[in-house]
Amino acid sequence: SGDIIQSEITIFLNADILEGPGVRGPDALSVRPEEFLTTCLEHIDDMASSNKECSGRIRRLFAFSLGYKVNYASKEPYTKEDADAMAEIVTHYKLESKCGGVVLALNARTLALDPAIFDGLFSKFKKLQILAWTGAGEVPIPQSSIHGIRRHYERTSRVKRVGFDCDVE
């Protein structure tokens, strides 16, 4: 995250705010995006406005780590609609200008099925990054899946904007 986060300390505000592969439906989410983002942005705005001389620095302390609730065992990939829904949220809430950055927290196994699905977001949002992760209790991901993700982003010159937090075979 060092490329976009310029302060010494970064406070990541993390939530799975969208339903994703294998977990869709009206009760899929425990945190609604509008509630989470509005609450967080109001808090950031309050802190920044009470310290006007360092308002920009305060905003850069915070980064959003946003993801999808997924069931990796479904073997369903992220879709264009998933990427478009996240792009709409980042745009609607003007996240790139209101904080230190935006990290998409994506399940690595699900991302490996079609990493190109998020290429448009990289083009649209210059400070966006991806963190590919595996969850607690998830079977370790094959090294070949990590290599596939990395190769895709190397070919698109975005590998420096992708990180991994994975239990690997």
Side-chain angles (χ1 to χ4, degrees):
S1 299
D3 289 342
I4 63 170
I5 310 302
Q6 300 300 317
S7 59
E8 294 176 27
I9 297 172
T10 301
I11 300 166
F12 287 92
L13 305 170
N14 175 266
D16 290 337
I17 60 167
L18 293 172
E19 56 190 53
V23 185
R24 306 219 188 252
D27 298 323
L29 297 174
S30 54
V31 177
R32 299 279 170 225
E34 54 279 352
E35 294 170 22
F36 177 74
L37 292 166
T38 300
T39 299
C40 291
L41 289 169
E42 285 174 358
H43 180 70
I44 293 168
D45 287 343
D46 288 348
M47 288 181 66
S49 64
S50 67
N51 296 288
K52 290 189 189 310
E53 67 280 354
C54 52
S55 172
R57 187 169 179 208
I58 288 171
R59 288 186 187 286
R60 288 188 301 274
L61 288 174
F62 296 92
F64 283 95
S65 172
L66 305 176
Y68 303 82
K69 190 166 185 180
V70 301
N71 176 358
Y72 72 88
S74 73
K75 298 185 180 177
E76 296 174 31
Y78 291 106
T79 65
K80 181 181 181 322
E81 291 77 21
D82 293 330
D84 290 347
M86 189 64 78
E88 174 58 31
I89 285 172
V90 173
T91 300
H92 176 77
Y93 289 95
K94 301 178 177 125
L95 295 182
E96 283 204 307
S97 66
K98 293 188 175 185
C99 66
V102 178
V103 176
L104 292 186
L106 303 174
N107 178 271
R109 189 173 264 105
T110 306
L111 178 62
L113 297 171
D114 186 6
I117 207 72
F118 292 99
D119 287 355
L121 271 72
F122 273 128
S123 297
K124 185 171 185 169
F125 304 110
K126 302 305 179 198
K127 296 197 286 183
L128 183 89
Q129 293 186 14
I130 286 177
L131 174 65
W133 55 267
T134 54
E138 187 175 337
V139 176
I141 189 169
Q143 186 68 45
S144 60
S145 295
I146 299 298
H147 287 313
I149 294 168
R150 186 171 280 123
R151 270 193 311 273
H152 171 76
Y153 291 113
E154 284 172 350
R155 282 193 305 270
T156 60
S157 301
R158 296 182 172 115
V159 72
K160 290 183 179 179
R161 294 169 62 187
V162 178
F164 296 90
D165 182 8
C166 300
D167 188 9
V168 180
E169 287 181 346

